[in-house]
Amino acid sequence: MSADAPTRPDNERANPLLATWDGPFGLPPFGEIEPAHFRPAFEAALAAHAAEIAAISGSSEVPDFANTIEAMERGGALLRQVASVFFTLSGADTNDELQAIEREIAPRLARHRAAISLDAALFARIEALFDKRDALGLDDEQLRVLERYHTGFTRSGAGLGEADKARLMEIAQELAGLGTSFAQNVLADEKAYGLVLETEADLAGLPDFLRDAAADAAASRGLPGSHVITLSRSSIEPFLQFSERRDLREQAFRAWAERGETGGATDNRAIMSRMMALRAERARLLGYETFAAFRLADEMAKTPEAALGLLRSVWEPAKRRALEEASALQTIAQGE
């Protein structure tokens, strides 16, 4: 086993998510993986990573780059393996069972990450290295990695008091759950919508590949003989590109733009409001006036004022050009 190989619990080897993958290119055995495998795999992987972090933060050795930064880089390999498969499937081929697991696991992963970034003993080791970084003989790459670790822990609140740390962990968990709900609400609206095309006039301009896909979508919804445009990108985007029916394009575009804003159980506006409030609270706990100030402090712009200055410098030329293009498009539309 290589130094970077995940630590695998002996009693979980029957789970394909926890096995060593020896297929082509090291790809996971998707055909063997079932939704029921994920909960125990996450349990094992989270426990393994927590143990790895505890060994680093609780070490009696004097901190150095190898036993602290390199050890953290190697840690969590099993968790990354499990999570990469799960989020690939939940993003590309999800179902009700995977979505239920995602709602459970997203806050747990957020809490796990927050517990690491708020670990006082771990941060003390990183800070000790950072304070004497110029005397460690690090190359440029190692120095950059050390600096990013120190910045990441600082921006996560590792230097705050225990009460603020506890609140930051609560915020991280809640934001993770809200983010999952937001994405799943958008997906639910995408799945629920269908623009039924019943006549040849409705299909005007559509290429054969899109007609075939729309016919398959209609058949899967119990509408054989019709065609249905869905809000999946492979359906909506070519429809907006090729359809000659401006009225139908407008219907489809509005449905696309209003995902998560249609009222009812999947409406995201309350979620958005809560997320904004939590982000603002987190920023204040970390010493920033606004979330924008926190977000940009570690970016090239550094401040909201600098970012707005750039936007304002291009706004008038961009607006002028957009209006010119809109006029040209309107001329083409009237001519047709």
Side-chain angles (χ1 to χ4, degrees):
M1 181 178 293
S2 70
D4 295 331
T7 302
R8 304 175 190 282
D10 290 336
N11 63 343
E12 296 288 353
R13 293 187 183 278
N15 190 322
L17 290 165
L18 301 174
T20 299
W21 302 330
D22 54 7
F25 307 107
L27 291 174
F30 285 106
E32 302 174 16
I33 296 171
E34 300 174 0
H37 290 131
F38 281 109
R39 285 187 178 89
F42 271 119
E43 292 289 346
L46 284 165
H49 192 208
E52 291 166 345
I53 294 299
I56 299 169
S57 65
S59 174
S60 60
E61 296 180 350
V62 175
D64 59 32
F65 191 84
N67 66 24
T68 302
I69 304 302
E70 288 183 8
M72 291 185 66
E73 286 286 289
R74 288 194 299 269
L78 185 60
L79 182 57
R80 287 192 295 273
Q81 175 170 302
V82 175
S84 66
V85 177
F86 176 76
F87 288 108
T88 295
L89 289 176
S90 65
D93 190 25
T94 194
N95 54 49
D96 292 344
E97 192 170 359
L98 288 178
Q99 288 188 349
I101 296 170
E102 186 176 14
R103 290 191 295 272
E104 294 174 21
I105 200 61
R108 290 196 60 188
L109 289 174
R111 182 177 181 84
H112 175 74
R113 290 191 294 266
I116 294 172
S117 61
L118 297 174
D119 186 317
L122 191 58
F123 181 55
R125 295 180 69 87
I126 294 170
E127 192 160 44
L129 293 174
F130 183 77
D131 289 344
K132 59 180 181 180
R133 58 192 180 279
D134 294 333
L136 296 177
L138 303 178
D139 60 31
D140 290 343
E141 183 177 355
Q142 291 172 319
L143 183 60
R144 177 62 173 167
V145 171
L146 173 58
E147 290 174 345
R148 294 312 302 164
Y149 264 94
H150 186 266
T151 297
F153 271 68
T154 300
R155 284 173 56 80
S156 295
L160 298 180
E162 291 305 313
D164 288 341
K165 286 183 179 180
R167 180 56 186 151
L168 284 172
M169 186 173 292
E170 292 173 353
I171 290 173
Q173 288 182 260
E174 188 174 354
L175 281 172
L178 290 170
T180 298
S181 296
F182 186 101
Q184 291 189 359
N185 285 345
V186 171
L187 181 60
D189 282 355
E190 289 182 5
K191 291 169 62 177
Y193 180 81
L195 176 62
V196 181
L197 309 177
E198 297 179 330
T199 68
E200 187 62 31
D202 293 342
L203 298 167
L206 302 188
D208 289 342
F209 80 87
L210 185 54
R211 289 182 176 225
D212 292 342
D216 290 341
S220 70
R221 295 179 178 223
L223 298 171
S226 296
H227 296 75
V228 170
I229 298 299
T230 72
L231 293 183
S232 67
R233 288 187 178 274
S234 61
S235 178
I236 183 68
E237 289 188 351
F239 179 76
L240 293 175
Q241 179 180 359
F242 294 112
S243 174
E244 296 179 5
R245 289 287 302 276
R246 189 174 187 179
D247 58 330
L248 297 179
R249 294 201 310 273
E250 181 179 2
Q251 288 183 47
F253 180 79
R254 286 187 181 278
W256 171 262
E258 292 172 358
R259 293 168 301 154
E261 196 179 351
T262 57
T266 61
D267 195 288
N268 276 330
R269 282 171 286 193
I271 291 177
M272 291 170 64
S273 178
R274 180 60 178 162
M275 291 177 73
M276 291 174 66
L278 290 172
R279 287 176 172 180
E281 183 183 355
R282 181 173 64 181
R284 290 192 295 270
L285 286 171
L286 294 169
Y288 295 89
E289 184 176 354
T290 65
F291 177 74
F294 164 73
R295 184 67 180 84
L296 290 170
D298 195 37
E299 303 292 339
M300 184 173 67
K302 300 302 181 187
T303 67
E305 292 74 22
L308 286 171
L310 174 61
L311 291 174
R312 289 177 179 132
S313 70
V314 300
W315 169 249
E316 287 301 332
K319 179 181 177 182
R320 184 167 55 250
R321 182 59 177 163
L323 291 173
E324 292 171 357
E325 292 180 353
S327 177
L329 288 170
Q330 185 62 49
T331 300
I332 294 173
Q334 290 172 338
E336 294 180 349

